[in-house]
């Protein structure tokens, strides 16, 4: 039972790794940035409050020592950007102060040195503005109007730096994910292209240690599969070859026997066994190629000769359309492929039609068409497997040995081509071989 998939969770490993790494690094970066900002805020606030306390203490002491008539000249000189001194009672306010205002009020009281009676109030409706009211030594009222500034204003370039850092984070995450996923893509492509019947290039064993180890393991697995298949073919060829001698002796003995119905049945069975053995040998040979050299052929003459051979035996085989041009291929292998296609068409439809066309990339496509029952769509690929029979009977006229299409598929690889089966519109089957 599979677990349900979360709708927002990506399906590909690449996207999942990218999301995990990016989100994890972004959170870690965000936490570091937040801690740095918090530490800077606390440091700046401590410096600001300490400076406010020391400046106010100095200003109050200077104002208190000045004569009353000189104080108005010094008020502006002793004021600062975040507070100013006002001679007089100031504005009425409320004594309920909380948060940052309470910290500032405490520092103002410390600046007064507990020498002057002081009362700190918040001015209603005026933001965070505070006023401290105190009485100097000569009884004159003094008001300290405090307007706190922001502790840590952000620099204008900071958002651009943050955006650049995030872009770098995305780039590094993408590169790390690519380095992790790329070997899997290479391995997947190598697995999809794996064909033990063809001599392809081994997978590259370069790269990190883990990747090189996986590549070596894959190449070793490929060699083992090819070896097992070769052994299977050799066993089939050996058995088929060794069966020919006893079958021949049995045929000779049957031919010398008296003519009876049992003799005819025995000879018929021996012929069937002999055809099966011959197909087995042909399949074994086709898997390794027959050593035939390529040569140039005239397509029209080649196709016509195949059709004439069947027509001479009374079979209905025709050539559709105009065939022209030449091709470089292995003639005997190509002939065997087409005769296997035609034999199947005659077996199931009693007639066959040969068509020759050129593909978009210049390849030659030879198609054998019939109007037989066709093949179920889900069995088209399996039909080219050895010993596969849609009709499970072992009768030669119906089920056959199941090697004809498998032999054609193997021989197509030896000429650098491919075989494809598909059902025709209106009924029937099309078997085509394409090669350059």
């Amino acid at each position: 039972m599979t677990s349900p998939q979360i709708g927002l969770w990506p399906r590909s490993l690449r996207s999942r790794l990218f999301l995990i790494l990016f989100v994890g690094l972004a959170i870690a970066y965000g936490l570091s940035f937040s801690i740095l900002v918090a530490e800077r805020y606390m440091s700046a606030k401590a410096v600001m409050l300490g400076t406010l306390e020391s400046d106010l203490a100095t200003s109050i002491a200077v104002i208190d020592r000045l004569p009353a008539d000189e104080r108005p000249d010094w008020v502006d000189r002793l004021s600062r950007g975040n507070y100013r001194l006002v001679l007089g009672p100031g504005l009425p306010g409320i004594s309920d102060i909380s948060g940052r205002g309470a910290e500032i009020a405490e520092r103002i009281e410390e600046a007064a040195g507990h020498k002057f009676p002081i009362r700190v109030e918040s001015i209603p409706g005026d933001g965070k503005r505070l006023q401290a009211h105190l009485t100097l030594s000569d009884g004159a009222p003094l008001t300290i109007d405090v307007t706190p500034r922001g502790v840590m204003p952000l620099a204008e370039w900071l958002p651009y730096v943050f955006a650049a850092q995030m872009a770098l984070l995305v780039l590094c995450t993408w590169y790390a994910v690519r380095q992790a996923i790329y070997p899997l893509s290479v391995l997947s492509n190598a697995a999809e292209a794996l064909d033990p019947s063809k001599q392809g290039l081994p997978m590259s064993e370069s790269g990190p240690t883990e990747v090189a180890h996986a590549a070596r393991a894959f190449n070793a697995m490929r060699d083992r599969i090819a070896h097992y298949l070769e052994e299977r073919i050799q066993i089939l060829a050996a058995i088929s070859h060794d069966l020919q001698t006893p079958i021949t002796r049995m045929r000779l003995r049957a031919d010398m026997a008296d003519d009876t119905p049992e003799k005819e049945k025995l000879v018929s069975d021996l012929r069937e066994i002999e055809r099966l053995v011959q197909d087995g040998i042909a399949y074994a040979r086709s898997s390794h190629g027959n050593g035939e050299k390529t040569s140039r052929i005239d397509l029209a003459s080649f196709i016509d000769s195949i059709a004439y051979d069947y027509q001479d035996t009374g079979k209905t085989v025709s050539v559709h359309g105009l065939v022209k041009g030449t091709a470089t291929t292995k003639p005997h292998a190509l002939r065997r492929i087409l005769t296997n296609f035609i034999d199947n068409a005659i077996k199931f439809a009693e007639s066959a039609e040969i068509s020759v066309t050129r593909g978009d990339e210049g390849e030659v496509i030879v198609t054998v068409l019939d109007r037989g029952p066709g093949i179920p769509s889900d069995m088209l690929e399996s039909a080219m497997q050895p010993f596969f029979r849609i009709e499970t009977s072992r009768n030669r006229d119906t089920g056959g040995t199941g090697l004809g299409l498998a032999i054609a598929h193997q021989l197509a690889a030896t000429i650098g081509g491919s075989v494809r089966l598909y059902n025709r519109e209106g009924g029937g089957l099309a078997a085509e071989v394409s090669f350059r």
Side-chain angles (χ1 to χ4, degrees), residues 334 337-338 341 364-368 408 411-412 415 417-420 431-435:
L334 180 58
I337 294 171
L338 296 179
F341 288 167
V364 178
I365 303 175
V366 184
T367 308
V368 176
L411 289 175
I415 65 174
S418 61
V419 169
R420 184 169 75 101
E432 71 174 34
V433 56
S434 61
F435 59 94

Short mmCIF file of all heavy atoms in Angstrom, two decimals, residues 334 337-338 341 364-368 408 411-412 415 417-420 431-435:
data_model
loop_
_atom_site.label_atom_id
_atom_site.label_comp_id
_atom_site.label_asym_id
_atom_site.label_seq_id
_atom_site.Cartn_x
_atom_site.Cartn_y
_atom_site.Cartn_z
N LEU A 334 18.36 -9.26 -44.73
CA LEU A 334 17.14 -8.53 -45.06
C LEU A 334 16.11 -9.46 -45.71
O LEU A 334 14.91 -9.36 -45.41
CB LEU A 334 17.47 -7.37 -46.00
CG LEU A 334 16.30 -6.50 -46.45
CD1 LEU A 334 15.58 -5.88 -45.25
CD2 LEU A 334 16.76 -5.41 -47.41
N ILE A 337 14.41 -11.49 -43.02
CA ILE A 337 13.45 -10.67 -42.27
C ILE A 337 12.14 -10.57 -43.04
O ILE A 337 11.05 -10.79 -42.49
CB ILE A 337 14.04 -9.26 -42.01
CG1 ILE A 337 15.24 -9.34 -41.08
CG2 ILE A 337 12.97 -8.35 -41.40
CD1 ILE A 337 15.98 -8.03 -40.95
N LEU A 338 12.22 -10.23 -44.32
CA LEU A 338 11.01 -10.03 -45.11
C LEU A 338 10.27 -11.35 -45.34
O LEU A 338 9.02 -11.36 -45.33
CB LEU A 338 11.37 -9.38 -46.45
CG LEU A 338 11.96 -7.97 -46.36
CD1 LEU A 338 12.31 -7.44 -47.74
CD2 LEU A 338 10.99 -7.02 -45.66
N PHE A 341 8.25 -12.03 -42.30
CA PHE A 341 7.05 -11.19 -42.29
C PHE A 341 5.99 -11.75 -43.27
O PHE A 341 4.80 -11.84 -42.93
CB PHE A 341 7.39 -9.76 -42.70
CG PHE A 341 8.16 -8.99 -41.66
CD1 PHE A 341 8.77 -7.78 -41.99
CD2 PHE A 341 8.27 -9.44 -40.36
CE1 PHE A 341 9.47 -7.06 -41.05
CE2 PHE A 341 8.97 -8.73 -39.40
CZ PHE A 341 9.58 -7.54 -39.76
N VAL A 364 15.52 3.65 -45.32
CA VAL A 364 14.63 2.81 -46.13
C VAL A 364 13.67 2.08 -45.20
O VAL A 364 14.07 1.49 -44.20
CB VAL A 364 15.45 1.78 -46.96
CG1 VAL A 364 14.52 0.89 -47.77
CG2 VAL A 364 16.43 2.50 -47.86
N ILE A 365 12.37 2.13 -45.53
CA ILE A 365 11.34 1.46 -44.73
C ILE A 365 10.61 0.47 -45.63
O ILE A 365 9.95 0.87 -46.59
CB ILE A 365 10.34 2.48 -44.14
CG1 ILE A 365 11.07 3.51 -43.29
CG2 ILE A 365 9.28 1.76 -43.32
CD1 ILE A 365 10.18 4.62 -42.77
N VAL A 366 10.77 -0.81 -45.33
CA VAL A 366 10.08 -1.86 -46.08
C VAL A 366 8.99 -2.42 -45.18
O VAL A 366 9.27 -2.88 -44.07
CB VAL A 366 11.05 -2.98 -46.51
CG1 VAL A 366 10.32 -4.01 -47.37
CG2 VAL A 366 12.23 -2.40 -47.27
N THR A 367 7.75 -2.38 -45.66
CA THR A 367 6.60 -2.78 -44.85
C THR A 367 5.86 -3.92 -45.54
O THR A 367 5.62 -3.87 -46.75
CB THR A 367 5.63 -1.61 -44.64
OG1 THR A 367 6.35 -0.48 -44.15
CG2 THR A 367 4.54 -1.98 -43.65
N VAL A 368 5.53 -4.95 -44.77
CA VAL A 368 4.71 -6.07 -45.25
C VAL A 368 3.34 -5.93 -44.59
O VAL A 368 3.23 -5.93 -43.36
CB VAL A 368 5.35 -7.43 -44.91
CG1 VAL A 368 4.44 -8.56 -45.33
CG2 VAL A 368 6.71 -7.55 -45.58
N ALA A 408 13.53 -12.09 -36.95
CA ALA A 408 13.53 -10.83 -37.71
C ALA A 408 14.05 -9.68 -36.85
O ALA A 408 14.81 -8.82 -37.31
CB ALA A 408 12.12 -10.53 -38.20
N LEU A 411 17.87 -10.10 -36.52
CA LEU A 411 18.58 -9.80 -37.77
C LEU A 411 18.54 -8.31 -38.08
O LEU A 411 19.47 -7.76 -38.67
CB LEU A 411 17.97 -10.60 -38.93
CG LEU A 411 18.25 -12.10 -38.91
CD1 LEU A 411 17.48 -12.80 -40.03
CD2 LEU A 411 19.74 -12.37 -39.05
N ALA A 412 17.44 -7.63 -37.70
CA ALA A 412 17.36 -6.19 -37.94
C ALA A 412 18.48 -5.45 -37.20
O ALA A 412 19.01 -4.46 -37.71
CB ALA A 412 15.99 -5.66 -37.50
N ILE A 415 21.78 -5.48 -39.17
CA ILE A 415 21.89 -4.58 -40.33
C ILE A 415 21.72 -3.11 -39.90
O ILE A 415 21.57 -2.24 -40.76
CB ILE A 415 20.84 -4.93 -41.41
CG1 ILE A 415 19.41 -4.69 -40.90
CG2 ILE A 415 21.00 -6.36 -41.88
CD1 ILE A 415 18.35 -4.89 -41.99
N GLY A 417 19.24 -1.78 -38.21
CA GLY A 417 17.86 -1.31 -38.37
C GLY A 417 17.00 -1.66 -37.18
O GLY A 417 17.49 -2.06 -36.12
N SER A 418 15.71 -1.52 -37.37
CA SER A 418 14.76 -1.82 -36.30
C SER A 418 13.47 -2.36 -36.92
O SER A 418 13.17 -2.11 -38.09
CB SER A 418 14.45 -0.57 -35.46
OG SER A 418 13.88 0.44 -36.27
N VAL A 419 12.73 -3.10 -36.11
CA VAL A 419 11.48 -3.71 -36.54
C VAL A 419 10.34 -3.09 -35.75
O VAL A 419 10.47 -2.84 -34.55
CB VAL A 419 11.52 -5.24 -36.34
CG1 VAL A 419 10.15 -5.85 -36.52
CG2 VAL A 419 12.51 -5.86 -37.33
N ARG A 420 9.23 -2.86 -36.41
CA ARG A 420 8.05 -2.31 -35.74
C ARG A 420 6.80 -2.99 -36.25
O ARG A 420 6.66 -3.24 -37.46
CB ARG A 420 7.95 -0.80 -35.99
CG ARG A 420 6.80 -0.12 -35.23
CD ARG A 420 6.92 1.39 -35.32
NE ARG A 420 6.54 1.89 -36.61
CZ ARG A 420 5.35 2.45 -36.88
NH1 ARG A 420 4.42 2.52 -35.94
NH2 ARG A 420 5.08 2.92 -38.09
N ALA A 431 4.01 -5.02 -40.65
CA ALA A 431 5.32 -5.30 -40.06
C ALA A 431 6.36 -4.60 -40.91
O ALA A 431 6.46 -4.85 -42.13
CB ALA A 431 5.57 -6.81 -40.04
N GLU A 432 7.11 -3.70 -40.31
CA GLU A 432 8.06 -2.92 -41.08
C GLU A 432 9.46 -3.05 -40.52
O GLU A 432 9.66 -3.22 -39.30
CB GLU A 432 7.66 -1.44 -41.14
CG GLU A 432 7.82 -0.71 -39.83
CD GLU A 432 7.56 0.79 -39.95
OE1 GLU A 432 6.69 1.16 -40.77
OE2 GLU A 432 8.19 1.58 -39.22
N VAL A 433 10.43 -2.99 -41.40
CA VAL A 433 11.83 -2.94 -41.02
C VAL A 433 12.42 -1.69 -41.65
O VAL A 433 12.21 -1.41 -42.84
CB VAL A 433 12.59 -4.22 -41.47
CG1 VAL A 433 12.45 -4.46 -42.97
CG2 VAL A 433 14.08 -4.11 -41.08
N SER A 434 13.12 -0.90 -40.85
CA SER A 434 13.72 0.33 -41.34
C SER A 434 15.23 0.27 -41.11
O SER A 434 15.69 -0.23 -40.08
CB SER A 434 13.12 1.56 -40.63
OG SER A 434 13.36 1.50 -39.25
N PHE A 435 15.99 0.74 -42.09
CA PHE A 435 17.45 0.73 -41.98
C PHE A 435 17.99 1.83 -42.87
O PHE A 435 17.32 2.31 -43.78
CB PHE A 435 18.01 -0.65 -42.39
CG PHE A 435 17.65 -1.05 -43.80
CD1 PHE A 435 18.48 -0.79 -44.87
CD2 PHE A 435 16.43 -1.68 -44.06
CE1 PHE A 435 18.13 -1.17 -46.15
CE2 PHE A 435 16.07 -2.06 -45.34
CZ PHE A 435 16.92 -1.79 -46.40
#
